[in-house]
PDB file of all heavy atoms in Angstrom:
ATOM      1  N   LEU B 149     -18.184  29.801 -10.145  1.00 94.00           N
ATOM      2  CA  LEU B 149     -17.746  30.210  -8.810  1.00 94.00           C
ATOM      3  C   LEU B 149     -16.950  31.513  -8.859  1.00 94.00           C
ATOM      4  O   LEU B 149     -17.196  32.436  -8.078  1.00 94.00           O
ATOM      5  CB  LEU B 149     -16.924  29.089  -8.184  1.00 94.00           C
ATOM      6  CG  LEU B 149     -16.675  29.239  -6.684  1.00 94.00           C
ATOM      7  CD1 LEU B 149     -16.575  27.853  -6.036  1.00 94.00           C
ATOM      8  CD2 LEU B 149     -15.437  30.034  -6.372  1.00 94.00           C
ATOM      9  N   VAL B 150     -16.021  31.590  -9.792  1.00 96.00           N
ATOM     10  CA  VAL B 150     -15.190  32.793  -9.862  1.00 96.00           C
ATOM     11  C   VAL B 150     -16.059  34.008 -10.241  1.00 96.00           C
ATOM     12  O   VAL B 150     -15.901  35.094  -9.681  1.00 96.00           O
ATOM     13  CB  VAL B 150     -14.009  32.601 -10.844  1.00 96.00           C
ATOM     14  CG1 VAL B 150     -13.195  33.882 -10.978  1.00 96.00           C
ATOM     15  CG2 VAL B 150     -13.124  31.446 -10.386  1.00 96.00           C
ATOM     16  N   SER B 151     -16.995  33.818 -11.155  1.00 97.00           N
ATOM     17  CA  SER B 151     -17.879  34.933 -11.519  1.00 97.00           C
ATOM     18  C   SER B 151     -18.702  35.381 -10.324  1.00 97.00           C
ATOM     19  O   SER B 151     -18.865  36.578 -10.077  1.00 97.00           O
ATOM     20  CB  SER B 151     -18.868  34.559 -12.634  1.00 97.00           C
ATOM     21  OG  SER B 151     -18.280  33.767 -13.584  1.00 97.00           O
ATOM     22  N   ARG B 152     -19.237  34.414  -9.603  1.00 96.00           N
ATOM     23  CA  ARG B 152     -20.073  34.733  -8.435  1.00 96.00           C
ATOM     24  C   ARG B 152     -19.263  35.551  -7.411  1.00 96.00           C
ATOM     25  O   ARG B 152     -19.746  36.553  -6.888  1.00 96.00           O
ATOM     26  CB  ARG B 152     -20.580  33.432  -7.809  1.00 96.00           C
ATOM     27  CG  ARG B 152     -21.366  33.605  -6.534  1.00 96.00           C
ATOM     28  CD  ARG B 152     -22.765  34.166  -6.803  1.00 96.00           C
ATOM     29  NE  ARG B 152     -23.439  34.523  -5.562  1.00 96.00           N
ATOM     30  CZ  ARG B 152     -23.613  35.773  -5.134  1.00 96.00           C
ATOM     31  NH1 ARG B 152     -23.190  36.790  -5.853  1.00 96.00           N
ATOM     32  NH2 ARG B 152     -24.215  36.016  -3.984  1.00 96.00           N
ATOM     33  N   VAL B 153     -18.041  35.123  -7.139  1.00 97.00           N
ATOM     34  CA  VAL B 153     -17.218  35.844  -6.164  1.00 97.00           C
ATOM     35  C   VAL B 153     -16.907  37.249  -6.696  1.00 97.00           C
ATOM     36  O   VAL B 153     -16.948  38.226  -5.951  1.00 97.00           O
ATOM     37  CB  VAL B 153     -15.923  35.064  -5.836  1.00 97.00           C
ATOM     38  CG1 VAL B 153     -14.998  35.891  -4.969  1.00 97.00           C
ATOM     39  CG2 VAL B 153     -16.256  33.748  -5.149  1.00 97.00           C
ATOM     40  N   GLY B 154     -16.636  37.343  -7.998  1.00 97.00           N
ATOM     41  CA  GLY B 154     -16.331  38.635  -8.610  1.00 97.00           C
ATOM     42  C   GLY B 154     -17.474  39.635  -8.470  1.00 97.00           C
ATOM     43  O   GLY B 154     -17.250  40.846  -8.367  1.00 97.00           O
ATOM     44  N   GLU B 155     -18.717  39.121  -8.438  1.00 97.00           N
ATOM     45  CA  GLU B 155     -19.871  40.018  -8.294  1.00 97.00           C
ATOM     46  C   GLU B 155     -19.895  40.726  -6.947  1.00 97.00           C
ATOM     47  O   GLU B 155     -20.384  41.837  -6.827  1.00 97.00           O
ATOM     48  CB  GLU B 155     -21.188  39.217  -8.394  1.00 97.00           C
ATOM     49  CG  GLU B 155     -21.584  38.831  -9.798  1.00 97.00           C
ATOM     50  CD  GLU B 155     -22.691  37.767  -9.777  1.00 97.00           C
ATOM     51  OE1 GLU B 155     -23.360  37.603  -8.731  1.00 97.00           O
ATOM     52  OE2 GLU B 155     -22.844  37.101 -10.814  1.00 97.00           O
ATOM     53  N   VAL B 156     -19.403  40.047  -5.911  1.00 97.00           N
ATOM     54  CA  VAL B 156     -19.524  40.619  -4.565  1.00 97.00           C
ATOM     55  C   VAL B 156     -18.218  41.189  -4.035  1.00 97.00           C
ATOM     56  O   VAL B 156     -18.177  41.751  -2.947  1.00 97.00           O
ATOM     57  CB  VAL B 156     -20.049  39.566  -3.543  1.00 97.00           C
ATOM     58  CG1 VAL B 156     -21.456  39.128  -3.928  1.00 97.00           C
ATOM     59  CG2 VAL B 156     -19.106  38.380  -3.450  1.00 97.00           C
ATOM     60  N   CYS B 157     -17.124  41.015  -4.793  1.00 97.00           N
ATOM     61  CA  CYS B 157     -15.825  41.412  -4.255  1.00 97.00           C
ATOM     62  C   CYS B 157     -14.940  41.963  -5.355  1.00 97.00           C
ATOM     63  O   CYS B 157     -14.580  41.251  -6.286  1.00 97.00           O
ATOM     64  CB  CYS B 157     -15.167  40.204  -3.591  1.00 97.00           C
ATOM     65  SG  CYS B 157     -13.561  40.571  -2.906  1.00 97.00           S
TER      66      CYS B 157
END
Side-chain angles (χ1 to χ4, degrees):
Chain B
L149 193 149
V150 177
S151 321
R152 175 74 189 105
V153 173
E155 283 166 18
V156 297
C157 180

